[in-house]
Amino acid sequence: MLLNLLSAAASPLTQEQIQKLQGLVAELNPIQQAWVSGYLAASANSASLGGIAPVAAAGESASLTILYGSQTGNAKGVANKLKEQAESRGLAVQLVNMADYKPANLKKEKFIAIAVSTYGEGEPPEPAETLHAFLASKKAPKLEGAKIAVLGLGDTSYEFFCQTAKDFETRLSALGAEVLHPRADLDVDYDAEAATWITGALDAFEPLIKAQAGAQNVTANPFAISASLESQYTKQNPFDAELSVVQKITGRDSTKDVRHIEISLEGSGITYQPGDSLGVYFLNDEARVEEIIALLKLDASTLVNVADEQITLRDALIEKLELTQSYPGFVEKYAQATNSADLQAVAADKAALREYIAARQIFDVIKQNPATIDAQTLVDCCRKVQARLYSIASSQAEVEEEVHLTVGLVEFDAFGETHHGGCSGYLALRAEEGAKVKVFSEHNDNFRLPQNDATPVIMIGPGTGIAPFRAFLQERDARGAEGENWLFFGNPHFTQDFLYQVEIQGYVKSGLLTNVDLAFSRDQAQKVYVQDRIREKGADVVAWLEKGAHVYICGDANRMAKDVHQALVDVLVSHSGRDAEQAEEYLKELRSAHRYQKDVY
């Protein structure tokens, strides 16, 4: 690449220096390369300016501490934008993942901004769990004099919308902190409102921080280095990639339809690491869109406005709007727009509304409640389609300018029709190989292989939860990692549902996979799951943990991840001499040390 041209180009480096630089760069991943580049640029600027004024250290009152708790990367993205804009105003900033934040530092903070998502039924995202629990404990310090502002990201499809953000604000306030700027609770289409909140929050923080900074003679570092390399292709600006392979990898008689997807990233410059996710935008089912347009007696060619874009109604419904995943806001707006007494009654009862949308896609709501409505009003009832995130099932060390996914088709019957998930239906059934699909990478620093290649890893991933572990194995194989690898995988039937069977057997033969434990739940009278295999191998699991193994879980959050966690507690009790409370504490310590990580959904 560029370094290969150095020797041929005019360069102030000697040939020996060029060779050393090439050797160093070859050992670094893209994020490390970006950090080194920024470090060298900052060092050069520092030398030319005779030094740089010191940056406020963590906990100094003249800096803004931004804490983020992110499950899928959205809260992290907002936190990064807040950091950039704060620095552009000359403010010293400390940006910290809640997973890496020491709760004891809270008592030193004077200015705190929080961006946090809510996961599941009002629960904090994985990286925020420790800090969330600390604030509710007796150990939480008094925070008189601290100023805070909180932004929550959530989804109104869920009952406990932005509950974690509400928890943080309530608990910090109870400890004596002052809310300097009103909390924002934002739905999935949050970009514009987040930008407004950032401006308002910084308007409130800026004069106070600068007054403190002036008193302490502390200034921001104008050459602050970003901790991560951001691709030019993002959620707001996705890459138009080519769908190159769509292959069914479950058997003909399987109760599941799982597809192996390969997408070309050629020319994008997009990089990712094992553990990251890929955001995919999809097209709604054209046949169902046309059915809705006909039912409402609308003209498909009518021009409508979606955000700042004017397009036809048909294109808007296919490309821009959410028509599968139901949420309360649509029912409420559609009921009002159509003056439907039945829908208004449903919308007025929160419990009834949640039961109603749980059984229906937005397509169903419209079909079951046809009415006279104009095209723009229909569009205004809908929210913008959101990209679906899939755990990446490949390592770039193996596949280079490709990215692979393992996608389970969402399929169910309701109201006399077969329904499909929005994105899974598009990728598995409607998109043809060679089609263009808009994608972006979403980094997940909370699901990473250990830096030391000698560290053993335990991977627990039933069903499509195998995806990131395929990436892990490809990466460790490419790196020649000497650490032991143990995979727990489960699905209904060995003959129909053993995803990536040939590859896994190949890794066993080569020695990369030290242990593989399989749980095919329906192949015997008594159902067997991965948590049962963990209990069967409990002594060995504990031995691996006590020699430093990292443990990873990927898959269903509601049942599997909780059942696996309980199995880990059980084997620690049975084989390590700990009681249940001590076992839970041990797992918390593993999580704090980034040795117990989850990618669950």
Side-chain angles (χ1 to χ4, degrees), residues 365-383:
V365 177
I366 297 173
K367 284 186 65 175
Q368 293 170 17
N369 299 276
T372 301
I373 187 172
D374 66 77
Q376 186 63 54
T377 301
L378 175 63
V379 168
D380 292 342
C381 289
C382 300
R383 68 185 181 192

Side-chain angles (χ1 to χ4, degrees), residues 534-585:
I534 290 169
R535 290 188 177 92
E536 289 173 7
K537 299 296 178 70
D540 290 336
V541 169
V542 171
W544 276 51
L545 290 176
E546 293 187 343
K547 69 181 179 181
H550 289 215
V551 60
Y552 302 87
I553 301 173
C554 182
D556 171 61
N558 293 326
R559 294 189 60 182
M560 183 278 298
K562 293 176 181 178
D563 290 343
V564 166
H565 178 88
Q566 186 59 52
L568 292 173
V569 170
D570 293 345
V571 299
L572 285 165
V573 170
S574 299
H575 301 284
S576 74
R578 296 174 174 87
D579 61 26
E581 184 177 346
Q582 292 169 330
E584 289 282 7
E585 187 59 33

